[in-house]
Structure formats: structure tokens, C-alpha cells
Amino acid sequence: MNNNGAGETAEFDYVIVGAGSAGCVLANRLSADGRHSVLLLEAGPKDSNIWIHVPLGYGKLFKEKSVNWMYQTEPEPGLHGRQVFQPRGKVLGGSSSINGLLYVRGQHEDYDRWRQRGNVGWGFDDVLPYFKKAEHQTRGADAYHGTDGPLSVSDWRHADPLSEAFVKAAVETGIPFNPDFNGATQEGAGFFQTTTRRGRRASSAFSYLRPAKGRGNLKVETSALAQRILFEGRRARGVEYRQDGNLRSAKARREVLISGGAYNSPQLLQLSGVGPAELLKQHGIAVVLDAPGVGNDLQDHLQVRIVTRCAQSITLNDIVNHPVRRTLAGMQYAAFRRGPLTIAAGTSGAFFKTNPRLATPDIQIHFIPFSTDKMGEKLHSFPGFTASVCQLRPESRGSLKIRSADPAAPPEIRINYLSTETDRTAFVDGIRILRRILAAPALKPYAAGEVYPGADKTSDEELLDFCRKTGGTVYHPTSTCRMGSDPLAVVDQRLRVRGIDGMRVVDASVMPDLMSGNTNAPTIMIAEKASDMILEDAR
Ligand SMILES: Cc1cc2nc3c(=O)[nH]c(=O)nc-3n(C[C@H](O)[C@H](O)[C@H](O)COP(=O)(O)OP(=O)(O)OC[C@H]3O[C@@H](n4cnc5c(N)ncnc54)[C@H](O)[C@@H]3O)c2cc1C
């Protein structure tokens, strides 16, 4: 192995890059039986920031650079040339330590579509056992849920009349009530469950890494930025990383496992010579494998937020902006782990179709009993609530490319939001349906006028313009190292990098396409399934 000046070299069976949603699962499962030694490298620090553990704390971590990569897209042509802020976790637990905590698996049909695209073993019946294996469902076990897993999935610990009124209003417009978005069907209106345990965040670091902490065969290194995968020919042999200003390397006897997330995994592959040959040459990087699909096919969920003024001072705006009510909420949380501080990125919501020709919902609504001009910024000084429209299966595709050979330089991210007619129409139609819900009788006592986009904006052009002016990410980038068997697919069905030995990618980047929901639970499922495959292949 060519160390190229790297200092100390240690040796492990598996070297995992990235302690995020996926990496922590791998670290736990691969070290569980004691047969294999595992090194887990994480660029960020330990998860000691207290806001990580309080659900509502995600608002504080949104722009907290000590635990966040804080990326930006390039100017987006479909959004009037705006750059879109892209928070990503840089800490033990990765994005599962800073995310909105919603537990939504997607639709059964998403996984059946993955299988139909040639990914044998990834249909809904194949992946359901892994969702269940991961899960500790506090409502109890049933055909769709497990109770023996490390990841605690719970109901919200706060009663909020607005969130309840939203569900009632949706039902009044003809959308069925759905008690479980992760059960037999996703369609309908109801309440989100969250990855929390007794009112505290259940990140993958909390759920998977903490229980494995004392194992002698698992080493976790924080503030360790992997800079390059080390190869012998086309076999991955180890990883070079920078920690405390020192260049170190670690050998992998069996495999190098890349779990850096949808932006950093393709970035590390490209930095290491696995990517589009032209791009690598442009940056003076020796080509190990010309893999044109690395960084290709980037997808993300866009959201457009409708803000309504509330007729009663019962929103989180009123609590946060009032010193006494704020203190009481803090005390309630400290004493009982209940109350407004347990609010996640959505309390209630709905999944519906914008067109009867569709087989499954194409829109997800996240409802939250607060309002702000921009996510992560100060809440409004007046009572307000927000319902956002998110298109579940965007056709728009983007790309991720390194900007330079410097491993610390942020990559160039292009998502191309709203670049197809289907995507644009889905948002315009989705806003219209949401407005019908917001005008339904159950919300009448609360809704005191639309703040954004404003009741005077009614034409298709005005609504689309609002989407372009204000749309932002739901933080779900995927598919930059997508699984498949076509020439642009990066990994095969066992998540092995095609054309390279001894290396897999295991994280949200391998999704063949973006599934119809929130991406944390599916990423954890992927890592559970990958762990089984890796251990099977080690026999
Ligand atoms: C603000 C926000 C809100 C979200 N809300 C929700 C939600 O409510 N529900 C939901 O289901 N999903 C949500 N998501 C998305 C979900 O959290 C992610 O899809 C999921 O965590 C991705 O997991 P991953 O393992 O692919 O990557 P990550 O969890 O991002 O992990 C990647 C890890 O690798 C580390 N890393 C990267 N490069 C290197 C390197 N070179 N060397 C060493 N370490 C490296 C990173 O620091 C990070 O810790 C949200 C995400 C964000 C950011």
C-alpha cells in the first residue's frame, strides 16, 4: 500500500468512513460478535452539544458549524438563481443528530420499484424485515413494526390543538385518516412518529454506537477527516485521514466502507480517483477507475412553506417570544421530557395525490405549529403556523462534483429543482389542495389569513413564482452513488463499488432513486441490510 507520507498506520478488518445514520449501524453490527475489528472515522466531534438531544434543538443546529457541514448549492436555475442552504450533520450520528426526527419509511411501491429496476433483494417484502430489525416501536409490534431493535420510534409527547385541527381539516376535505404512515398504506392524514426515546433524540449514535461503546474490537475516531481511499491497483486497502493536523492511515484487511452521506461519499470517491475521468484529470487526480456515475443523479426533496396567521396565541411563536411561557416550557421539558420542546420537524401531516391518475401520493404535507421567514431563523413575532408542500418523487436530477483536489473544499452541488413540468405542476396543484385543507371548518377558529404566499396569489404563474422565490430543501439528498446494473450505476445490489474490490458505499447515496418520504429510516434500513451482506460475505 502506498502511504504517500502518511504517519502511523493501524490495521482493522473494516474501516468505516462516516459515523452518520448508516455508519453507526455498520459499526455496531459488524463489531457485535467480536470476530472482526472495526475502525469508525468521523470528521466531526462527539455528540456533546446539548441541543442535539432535545428534539426542538434541531432549529439551533441548523446553522451550527461545529456540527454541520453547512453546504450551499450552486445558483439554482429553477429557483430564480438562488443558492439553497444544505445543512448536513458533521458529528457522531451525522445528519441523524441534527435532523427533524420524523420517522417515515416511504411507500411500499418505492422499494418494489427499486427491485423492478433490477435491484433484486430490495423489494418491499425484502426490506421490511430490516425496518423491523432496526425498530423499537413504542406502540408495540405488528405486521409492519418491530420492538426488539435499537432505534426507538415514538409518538409525540405534547397535545397541540392546532396539529389536531390540521388532521381534522384534511379529513373534512376527503383525505382519509391514517393512524400509521408506516403501516399498510401511506396515504391519508395523521400524526408523525419520531426517532425519540422518552422525549430525547434517538440518533444513530445514541441508538447504535452508545451500546457498542465498550467493545474492545471497535475503535471510534472523531475529528478525523478521511482524505483519500488507498488502493493497490483496483483493490481498496485502507484510508488516509487527517486528525489534529496529522496525516494518518488505517489498513482494511477485509473492506473499506464509505458512509459519508450523499454529498461526501461521492466527493471522497472522486478525490480518491474513482469518478468521471475527465473531472478527475481536470483536478490532477490519478484515475483509479473511470466511473462516470459517481456524483451523478443527485435528487432532493424541495419544500414550499405556506404560512398562516393564527387567531389565537397558542403557537410556538407565542411561547418562544414570551419569557415566562418559554421558561415554563423549559421546566416542563426538564421535569417530564414533554411539551413544546419535543416538537420535531412536523407534528401532523398528510400524504395525497394531486391527480387521480397517480397510483400513490405524490405530495407530503408537514404541519408545524410555528412560523418563521426562513428555517433556522427567528420565529415570527405574531402567532402563526406553517404547512409545507413537498413533492415526493421529483423527476429533476442534479450532480455533485469536486471543485478541487483539496479534501477540505466543499463540493459543487447542483440539484436543478423544478426543472421538469411534472415537478412544477405537482407543486402548484399541491398548494391548491393544501389551501383547501387550510380553509376547512376544523381550522376556521385558528386561521386568520395567509401570510405567504398571500391570498391574492392564485394563478398558476403566481404560485410557481412563489415556489421559485421561496422553495428550500427538505434535506433529503440521495442517489449520487446509486445502486443498479446500468453503466452509470456506482454500486451493485450488495452495495459493492462496481469495478473495485474491497469497497462498498453504504448510506443514502446508494438509493436507486429518492423514495416517497423522509430519508433517515430508509438509510438505517439500508445499513442494517448491508451489515448482513457484509457479514455473509466474510464467512
Ligand atoms: C436539517 C435536517 C433535517 C432532516 N430531517 C429529517 C427528518 O425529519 N426525517 C428523516 O427521515 N430524515 C431527515 N433528514 C435526512 C436524514 O437525516 C438523512 O437522509 C440521513 O441522516 C442520511 O444518512 P447518511 O448515513 O447517508 O449520512 P449522514 O447521516 O449525513 O452521515 C454522514 C457522516 O459522515 C461524516 N463524513 C462525511 N465525510 C467524511 C469524511 N471524509 N471523513 C470522515 N467522516 C466523514 C459526516 O460528518 C457525517 O457524520 C434531515 C437532514 C437534515 C440535515
Side-chain angles (χ1 to χ4, degrees):
M1 183 170 64
N2 179 6
N3 261 353
N4 269 8
E8 308 144 45
T9 303
E11 205 168 310
F12 300 84
D13 289 319
Y14 298 102
V15 177
I16 305 166
V17 176
S21 296
C24 292
V25 178
L26 293 179
N28 179 319
R29 297 300 190 193
L30 299 183
S31 64
D33 69 5
R35 280 194 303 140
H36 306 294
S37 58
V38 177
L39 172 66
L40 177 62
L41 296 174
E42 169 54 46
K46 294 199 171 112
D47 54 347
S48 45
N49 183 318
I50 53 161
W51 288 112
I52 289 176
H53 306 285
V54 180
L56 190 60
Y58 73 86
K60 296 256 182 206
L61 305 170
F62 211 73
K63 292 196 172 157
E64 174 49 59
K65 67 175 189 307
S66 62
V67 295
N68 192 331
W69 292 89
M70 310 237 315
Y71 290 140
Q72 291 276 2
T73 67
E74 297 300 298
E76 283 284 320
L79 303 184
H80 290 326
R82 281 187 302 121
Q83 290 183 276
V84 177
F85 178 59
Q86 299 279 326
R88 306 308 300 163
K90 185 183 183 183
V91 57
L92 288 184
S95 298
S96 78
S97 285
I98 68 162
N99 75 10
L101 300 99
L102 300 187
Y103 183 83
V104 180
R105 296 172 178 177
Q107 300 167 0
H108 303 190
E109 293 81 357
D110 291 319
Y111 304 100
D112 289 341
R113 185 179 65 248
W114 288 6
R115 183 186 57 201
Q116 249 162 296
R117 288 182 67 180
N119 299 298
V120 177
W122 292 89
F124 182 70
D125 291 345
D126 303 306
V127 301
L128 178 60
Y130 290 103
F131 278 116
K132 290 167 76 172
K133 182 179 183 186
E135 186 182 16
H136 174 75
Q137 171 58 250
T138 52
R139 291 180 185 173
D142 65 18
Y144 295 101
H145 296 285
T147 47
D148 298 330
L151 185 70
S152 181
V153 178
S154 317
D155 291 315
W156 189 32
R157 293 162 71 92
H158 184 54
D160 172 53
L162 272 174
S163 307
E164 284 168 21
F166 176 81
V167 176
K168 280 191 196 133
V171 171
E172 283 166 353
T173 67
I175 296 173
F177 175 67
N178 187 345
D180 181 5
F181 293 139
N182 302 301
T185 177
Q186 185 193 59
E187 189 160 10
F191 298 91
F192 290 114
Q193 286 202 295
T194 57
T195 41
T196 49
R197 187 166 178 274
R198 297 198 192 105
R200 284 168 68 90
R201 177 189 291 274
S203 68
S204 66
F206 174 85
S207 310
Y208 284 89
L209 210 51
R210 235 163 253 202
K213 218 173 164 188
R215 293 177 191 161
N217 59 332
L218 171 62
K219 188 159 194 215
V220 182
E221 295 285 2
T222 50
S223 305
L225 177 74
Q227 307 208 140
R228 202 160 59 101
I229 302 150
L230 301 167
F231 292 101
E232 254 174 35
R234 286 190 176 166
R235 187 184 168 91
R237 286 291 182 204
V239 175
E240 184 181 271
Y241 62 100
R242 185 167 289 281
Q243 190 181 36
D244 307 325
N246 300 313
L247 203 55
R248 304 179 204 273
S249 65
K251 280 190 193 170
R253 278 185 291 259
R254 287 186 180 278
E255 295 192 44
V256 173
L257 304 166
I258 310 297
S259 300
Y263 294 146
N264 293 50
S265 285
Q267 180 193 30
L268 182 60
L269 261 60
Q270 291 174 4
L271 288 169
S272 309
V274 178
E278 270 315 302
L279 174 74
L280 307 187
K281 284 182 199 152
Q282 204 181 312
H283 296 295
I285 295 171
V287 178
V288 174
L289 177 74
D290 179 14
V294 173
N296 215 44
D297 256 330
L298 171 57
Q299 294 163 54
D300 188 22
H301 282 143
L302 182 74
Q303 70 171 336
V304 173
R305 298 176 314 116
I306 308 293
V307 172
T308 306
R309 188 180 279 270
C310 186
Q312 302 178 29
S313 298
I314 53 169
T315 68
L316 190 68
N317 301 7
D318 308 294
I319 297 169
V320 166
N321 292 325
H322 191 287
V324 177
R325 292 177 74 181
R326 191 171 62 222
T327 308
L328 286 174
M331 285 164 63
Q332 186 186 14
Y333 184 76
F336 309 110
R337 301 262 183 267
R338 289 186 179 277
L341 268 79
T342 62
I343 292 181
T347 49
S348 52
F351 293 87
F352 58 73
K353 301 172 198 162
T354 55
N355 191 308
R357 78 180 151 71
L358 294 169
T360 60
D362 61 334
I363 293 289
Q364 175 177 4
I365 303 291
H366 294 86
F367 180 87
I368 25 174
F370 65 78
S371 66
T372 169
D373 283 340
K374 270 194 180 165
M375 287 308 288
E377 294 187 4
K378 214 171 152 352
L379 301 188
H380 287 139
S381 55
F382 54 84
F385 53 86
T386 307
S388 70
V389 176
C390 159
Q391 183 206 8
L392 289 168
R393 286 179 302 286
E395 290 178 350
S396 302
R397 299 287 184 267
S399 63
L400 179 133
K401 293 180 183 162
I402 46 169
R403 232 182 258 282
S404 84
D406 174 4
E412 180 192 291
I413 299 168
R414 293 179 197 276
I415 300 182
N416 295 325
Y417 294 112
L418 297 180
S419 57
T420 79
E421 189 54 37
T422 306
D423 295 2
R424 294 187 287 267
T425 307
F427 273 98
V428 171
D429 293 346
I431 292 175
R432 291 221 162 87
I433 295 173
L434 174 57
R435 275 180 164 172
R436 285 209 288 276
I437 301 175
L438 296 171
L443 276 167
K444 276 262 151 58
Y446 306 108
E450 192 175 280
V451 182
Y452 307 133
D456 58 325
K457 307 276 187 301
T458 53
S459 70
D460 287 3
E461 294 70 30
E462 284 169 327
L463 295 182
L464 184 58
D465 186 56
F466 174 70
C467 298
R468 293 190 195 283
K469 274 191 185 135
T470 66
T473 176
V474 193
Y475 329 108
H476 294 167
T478 66
S479 311
T480 45
C481 298
R482 130 179 111 65
M483 173 178 19
S485 44
D486 57 287
L488 288 180
V490 175
V491 298
D492 67 12
Q493 295 145 18
R494 296 183 80 74
L495 308 187
R496 296 172 296 211
V497 177
R498 297 165 72 222
I500 297 283
D501 289 329
M503 183 162 91
R504 297 185 213 229
V505 180
V506 181
D507 58 26
S509 69
V510 303
M511 293 188 192
D513 54 37
L514 181 49
M515 24 64 58
S516 317
N518 305 58
T519 43
N520 186 44
T523 304
I524 287 174
M525 173 280 288
I526 287 169
E528 284 280 12
K529 187 166 162 63
S531 304
D532 266 13
M533 294 191 295
I534 295 164
L535 290 171
E536 270 165 29
D537 292 350
R539 276 190 205 130

